[in-house]
């Protein structure tokens, strides 16, 4: 089944007197799932004394209403008695400023941001709370899923993204142990960091930027450490839950959209131990209704899940309410439906709104709800209800997403290098989103590739072409995997500077170097800043921005020239495939919304055809394909533009939509502006 529902309870919201009415209305709206928060500080106000009254009543009401329940365990609101007993466990930033427990946006009931789990007494108390929850509720008839960590990251960074965490004594000790295990000897660490330490006691995490090797490793430690925290939660709950109970987590967004370095969020490091995975999306509030950014978050979550079910675990229900001028109006109901279409098209098996009803206390009040503040349904509820019917069509149950033939290669280390050197990873974020924007505008079927998985497993066999944006950092396993991909017949398109830096942050003297030098058959002499320029390519133009490289080819052949006659791109034939090097950054120009003629040039560069056969192709028209459990073809066609868009459907196909859409006698289907259809059997 496809779960469709909404978050409902986060203490002290909403009013108890409305619980039964509100849950009944959710079911009447066609929703089948409700999420409740189990907040540690609220439920264990004194050590070992648990207040289960709210959740007891809510789970019974959900059962009576016919709703399945997701319990989201919230440990990022530690009880105050634990802080009193262990003040040393407060999160500390690089200037040793502790974060005292308080109420915050995501915890109006207090206890934010929790305490650092590297401190054993904190984890012992949290583990006891988790066990008590599972023993109480795992056998309840309404319970469906344990969501064990709401948006995992280094929690204080939500409010203090300019600060680095955590420098409590327990985290410093764990970092030292991690380094010793990773490097083995102080001499090896000196080789990597290029220092002159004589003992491990002299080694500390950096407290300023621009200390590149150690800052990159400090962040890498936290990726591993947070994954360990999540694994411990999973092990605790699985040990007490019934066999086969689903445990999941969901991230706030893709780390590659900006929070990877500050919040220590790489979704690909958080999926190994869970049964299902998800992402949150607030497209009107945080994305300016940019369907491309929304899709990027969904498709990175799907690929991180690696074949496990993935959810749109939070989806904006009402207006964004925060920080005054950042507040937004209520989402258009038609756009609310399109967000659900995006989730279904990318393969989501669950869609859960944040939230059913606006909260009445806290800085989110009165925002984000599908209903009005008094709980009355709105047109957004009705739009979501119509999509709930489509989400649970028999043909969509057990469907399999059809993987994309075009790979987009992402690099955590390139992002960290930008962060360590520039104090921000914004440039790398722009490159990732810009590259994805070009692919989506060209309606190409995309597979998100992560450098760790490429180094381990190579490029998947279903991928024919790879676009590699801002490839600043690359190690030899990634280079070898890309070379093998090209030689077996793949096409690689890389932007300027592939593997310019080693994983330690040291620049290579020759770029590309090693395996990549042989692969591309060209040397970058030097690079310089540039104004944005358009370059003619077969099929159209690409705009380049930020900087350009002076290329000196060995056996690569010219592919495109800058207006001044310098090489803008080269092509090297290798084995059965080819490697193309761009001398600039088309991705950054694309993220600046330039270069409308890039669609034809990009398709020609990658050697691919679009996923859909729209009669008038263009940006804003999206096609994603799947297969039903019985093998039937499923094609999602989404029109994000303000104009009707038509495509030709095959014989015997059936068209499903939440809007009035019909197939013409000749098989032509016209999708109205800002709407979508599902074609069954195309």
């Amino acid at each position: 089944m496809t779960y469709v529902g909404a978050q409902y309870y986060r203490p002290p919201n909403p009013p108890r007197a409305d619980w039964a009415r509100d849950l009944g209305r959710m079911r009447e709206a066609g929703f089948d799932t409700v999420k409740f928060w189990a907040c540690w500080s609220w439920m264990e106000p004194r050590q070992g004394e648990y207040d289960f009254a709210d959740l007891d009543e809510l789970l019974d009401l959900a059962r009576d209403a016919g709703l399945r329940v997701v319990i989201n365990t919230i440990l990022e609101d530690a009880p105050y008695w634990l802080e009193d007993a262990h003040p040393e466990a407060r999160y500390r930033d690089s200037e040793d400023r502790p974060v005292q427990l308080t109420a915050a946006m995501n915890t109006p009931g207090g206890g934010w941001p929790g305490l650092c789990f590297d401190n054993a007494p904190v984890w012992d108390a949290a583990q006891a709370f988790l066990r008590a929850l599972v023993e109480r509720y795992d056998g309840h008839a309404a319970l469906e899923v344990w969501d064990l960590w709401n948006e995992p990251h280094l929690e204080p960074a939500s409010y203090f993204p300019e600060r680095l965490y955590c420098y409590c004594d327990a985290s410093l000790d764990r970092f030292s142990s991690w380094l010793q295990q990773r490097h083995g000897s102080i001499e090896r660490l000196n080789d990597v960091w290029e220092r002159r330490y004589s003992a491990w006691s002299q080694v500390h995490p950096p407290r300023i930027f621009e200390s590149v090797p150690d800052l990159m490793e400090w962040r890498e430690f936290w990726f591993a450490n947070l994954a360990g925290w999540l694994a411990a939660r999973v092990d605790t709950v699985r040990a007490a839950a019934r066999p086969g109970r689903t445990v999941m987590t969901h991230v706030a967004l893709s780390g590659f959209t900006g929070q990877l370095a500050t919040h220590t969020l790489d979704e690909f490091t958080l999926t190994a131990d869970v049964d299902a995975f998800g992402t949150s999306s607030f497209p009107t509030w945080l994305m300016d209704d940019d369907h491309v950014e929304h899709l990027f978050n969904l498709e990175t979550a799907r690929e991180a899940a690696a074949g496990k079910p993935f959810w749109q675990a939070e989806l904006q229900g009402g207006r964004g309410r925060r920080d005054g001028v950042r507040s937004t109006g209520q989402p258009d109901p038609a756009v609310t439906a399109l967000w659900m279409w995006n989730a279904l098209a990318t393969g989501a098996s669950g869609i859960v709104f944040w939230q059913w009803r606006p909260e009445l206390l806290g800085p989110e009040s009165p925002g984000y709800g599908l209903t009005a503040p008094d709980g009355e349904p709105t047109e957004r509820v009705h739009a979501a209800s119509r999509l709930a019917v489509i989400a649970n069509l028999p043909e969509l149950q057990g469907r399999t997403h059809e993987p994309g033939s075009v790979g987009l290669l992402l690099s955590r280390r390139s992002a960290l290098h930008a962060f360590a050197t520039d104090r921000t990873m914004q440039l790398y974020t722009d490159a990732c989103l810009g590259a994805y924007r070009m692919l989506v505008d060209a309606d190409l079927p995309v597979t998100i590739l992560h450098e760790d998985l490429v180094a381990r497993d190579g490029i998947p066999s279903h991928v024919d072409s790879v676009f590699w944006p801002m490839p600043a950092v690359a190690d030899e396993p990634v280079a070898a995997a890309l070379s093998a991909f090209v030689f077996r017949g793949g096409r690689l398109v890389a932007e300027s500077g592939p593997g310019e830096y080693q994983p330690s942050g040291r620049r290579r003297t020759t770029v590309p170097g090693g395996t990549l030098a042989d692969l591309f058959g060209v040397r970058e002499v030097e690079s310089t800043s540039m104004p944005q320029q358009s370059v003619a390519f077969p099929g159209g133009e690409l705009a380049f921005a930020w900087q350009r490289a002076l290329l000196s080819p060995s056996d690569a052949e010219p592919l495109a020239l800058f207006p001044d006659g310098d090489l803008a791109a080269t092509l090297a034939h290798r084995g059965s495939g080819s490697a193309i090097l761009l001398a600039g950054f088309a991705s950054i120009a694309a993220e600046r919304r330039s270069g409308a003629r890039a669609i034809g040039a990009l398709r020609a560069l990658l050697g691919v055809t679009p996923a859909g056969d729209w009669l008038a192709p263009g940006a804003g028209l999206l096609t994603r394909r799947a297969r039903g459990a019985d093998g039937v073809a499923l094609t999602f066609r989404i029109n994000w533009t303000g104009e009707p868009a038509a495509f030709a459907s095959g014989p015997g196909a059936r068209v499903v939509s939440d809007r009035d859409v019909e197939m013409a006698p000749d098989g032509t289907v016209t999708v109205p502006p800002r709407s979508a259809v599902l074609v069954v059997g195309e």
Side-chain angles (χ1 to χ4, degrees):
M1 66 170 294
T2 303
Y3 299 94
V4 178
Q7 155 73 24
Y8 181 70
Y9 169 78
R10 177 170 66 175
N13 299 295
R16 185 184 222 100
D18 297 341
W19 289 356
R21 182 203 67 178
D22 290 348
L23 295 179
R25 284 178 171 174
M26 288 179 66
R27 191 70 189 103
E28 290 170 4
F31 287 16
D32 51 53
T33 302
V34 62
K35 183 190 289 185
F36 302 139
W37 274 28
C39 296
W40 187 13
S41 66
W42 191 264
M43 297 183 67
E44 193 182 358
R46 294 177 180 82
Q47 186 172 9
E49 297 180 13
Y50 302 111
D51 182 355
F52 294 119
D54 285 4
L55 282 186
D56 282 354
E57 183 173 348
L58 283 162
L59 264 82
D60 287 348
L61 289 171
R63 176 199 60 208
D64 295 344
L67 294 169
R68 298 173 176 85
V69 172
V70 177
I71 293 182
N72 207 159
T73 60
I74 309 298
L75 303 182
E76 285 60 54
D77 61 340
Y80 292 97
W81 56 262
L82 187 58
E83 181 187 37
D84 280 350
H86 296 283
E88 75 281 0
R90 293 176 178 135
Y91 286 102
R92 287 184 174 270
D93 70 8
S94 58
E95 297 181 17
D96 282 327
R97 291 173 290 193
V99 184
Q100 188 170 348
L101 298 186
T102 184
M105 178 180 181
N106 63 351
T107 47
W112 184 88
L115 301 170
C116 180
F117 292 104
D118 285 340
N119 296 269
V122 175
W123 171 242
D124 290 345
Q127 191 174 43
F129 173 65
L130 288 176
R131 286 170 176 158
L133 279 174
V134 177
E135 290 169 3
R136 183 82 172 189
Y137 297 116
D138 195 69
H140 197 286
L143 184 71
E144 188 78 4
V145 174
W146 291 103
D147 190 338
L148 299 184
W149 195 345
N150 181 74
E151 301 176 351
H153 63 282
L154 265 171
E155 188 67 27
S158 297
Y159 277 69
F160 307 113
E162 74 284 358
R163 302 180 186 179
L164 296 175
Y165 291 93
C166 173
Y167 292 79
C168 72
D169 289 344
S171 292
L172 297 183
D173 288 345
R174 185 167 288 190
F175 177 58
S176 180
S177 297
W178 181 83
L179 280 178
Q180 292 180 52
Q181 183 177 11
R182 184 177 175 93
H183 294 286
S185 69
I186 196 70
E187 291 76 19
R188 173 58 183 158
L189 180 71
N190 281 333
D191 288 342
V192 175
W193 286 15
E194 305 198 38
R195 305 295 162 81
R196 294 292 182 90
Y197 298 122
S198 58
W200 285 106
S201 59
Q202 301 161 9
V203 181
H204 306 285
R207 294 178 184 259
I208 62 171
F209 286 86
E210 300 166 1
S211 180
V212 176
D214 38 338
L215 185 55
M216 291 178 70
E217 284 219 80
W218 178 227
R219 294 294 86 184
E220 288 288 355
F221 160 73
W222 273 106
F223 290 118
N225 204 29
L226 293 186
W229 289 4
L230 176 59
R233 299 185 194 202
V234 171
D235 290 345
T236 298
V237 170
R238 281 208 178 116
R242 68 164 175 78
R245 173 70 73 195
T246 297
V247 296
M248 69 174 292
T249 188
H250 70 277
V251 293
L253 38 67
S254 171
F256 292 93
T257 62
Q259 293 187 356
L260 183 144
T262 54
H263 294 51
T264 322
L265 167 59
D266 178 354
E267 55 267 42
F268 287 82
T269 66
L270 296 168
T271 60
D273 297 295
V274 295
D275 303 311
F277 188 64
T279 189
S280 301
S281 298
F282 294 82
T284 293
W285 177 43
L286 297 178
M287 303 176 190
D288 196 26
D289 279 334
D290 179 7
H291 69 282
V292 173
E293 186 172 349
H294 182 216
L295 286 162
F296 180 83
N297 282 275
L298 288 166
E299 297 207 293
T300 53
R302 182 193 65 227
E303 300 303 335
K308 299 174 183 178
F310 94 95
W311 293 32
Q312 175 74 84
E314 293 183 20
L315 182 59
Q316 183 176 351
R319 64 173 300 205
R321 175 67 180 89
R322 189 181 182 188
D323 296 346
V325 295
R326 290 179 63 196
S327 298
T328 60
Q330 299 290 0
D332 184 330
V335 175
T336 298
L338 281 175
W339 299 336
M340 296 181 73
W341 276 110
N342 275 0
L344 293 173
T346 52
S349 57
I351 302 173
V352 178
F353 281 92
W354 185 273
Q355 48 191 332
W356 176 254
R357 178 174 172 174
E359 293 185 328
L360 303 180
L361 176 68
E364 290 192 11
S365 172
Y368 305 98
L370 280 171
T371 75
D374 62 359
E376 290 298 316
T378 65
E379 286 302 314
R380 296 187 303 282
V381 171
H382 301 320
S385 295
R386 290 189 289 271
L387 261 294
V389 173
I390 293 174
N392 280 293
L393 288 172
E395 292 88 348
L396 293 187
Q397 310 320 305
R399 71 192 184 280
T400 302
H401 173 77
E402 188 172 295
S405 61
V406 179
L408 176 64
L409 179 54
L410 306 183
S411 167
R412 179 177 69 245
R413 293 171 186 85
S414 294
L416 290 178
H417 185 267
F419 178 71
T421 55
D422 299 336
R423 304 190 179 203
T424 173
M425 61 170 280
Q426 187 59 54
L427 201 61
Y428 188 74
T429 291
D430 288 348
C432 292
L433 284 175
Y436 183 77
R437 188 175 305 281
M438 289 194 294
L439 298 175
V440 170
D441 284 353
D443 197 20
L444 299 179
V446 182
T447 292
I448 305 294
L449 304 173
H450 190 283
E451 63 181 355
D452 289 353
L453 300 181
V454 167
R456 187 190 73 190
D457 304 326
I459 303 295
S461 59
H462 64 263
V463 172
D464 299 323
S465 305
V466 171
F467 192 90
W468 194 10
M470 196 170 286
V473 179
D475 59 15
E476 187 56 29
V478 169
L482 291 171
S483 179
F485 164 72
V486 170
F487 272 84
R488 75 169 189 245
R491 179 172 292 197
L492 173 64
V493 179
E495 294 191 308
S496 178
E500 182 175 5
Y501 295 92
Q502 301 172 21
S504 66
R506 171 181 276 273
R507 191 188 188 277
R508 291 183 167 93
T509 55
T510 301
V511 179
T515 298
L516 294 177
D518 295 334
L519 182 63
F520 288 102
V522 63
R523 179 173 66 92
E524 295 191 3
V525 179
E526 63 178 359
S527 60
T528 187
S529 60
M530 65 173 290
Q532 186 163 305
Q533 283 186 317
S534 292
V535 176
F537 279 83
E541 295 179 351
L542 285 182
F544 286 0
W546 182 47
Q547 69 178 29
R548 59 185 276 188
L550 178 63
L551 301 183
S552 176
S554 53
D555 64 345
E557 60 190 56
L559 183 63
L561 302 176
F562 285 110
D564 62 7
D566 283 349
L567 282 172
T570 59
L571 168 67
H573 298 285
R574 296 289 185 264
S576 301
S578 55
I580 294 171
L581 180 62
L582 306 181
F585 294 88
S587 60
I588 294 176
E591 190 56 14
R592 294 172 181 172
R593 310 299 202 275
S594 61
R597 296 187 62 199
I599 290 176
L602 186 68
R603 289 175 180 168
L605 270 179
L606 293 168
V608 294
T609 56
D613 49 357
W614 298 92
L615 300 185
L621 302 178
L622 177 76
T623 307
R624 288 294 183 266
R625 300 183 186 277
R627 287 282 172 185
D630 60 356
V632 66
L634 304 170
T635 306
F636 296 87
R637 295 182 180 269
I638 306 177
N639 177 12
W640 274 96
T641 76
E643 301 294 332
F647 64 90
S649 182
R654 179 167 62 93
V655 176
V656 179
S657 180
D658 57 325
R659 303 279 292 274
D660 291 330
V661 178
E662 295 182 356
M663 185 186 301
D666 64 356
T668 300
V669 179
T670 300
V671 185
R674 299 173 83 79
S675 61
V677 301
L678 166 66
V679 181
V680 180
E682 183 178 20

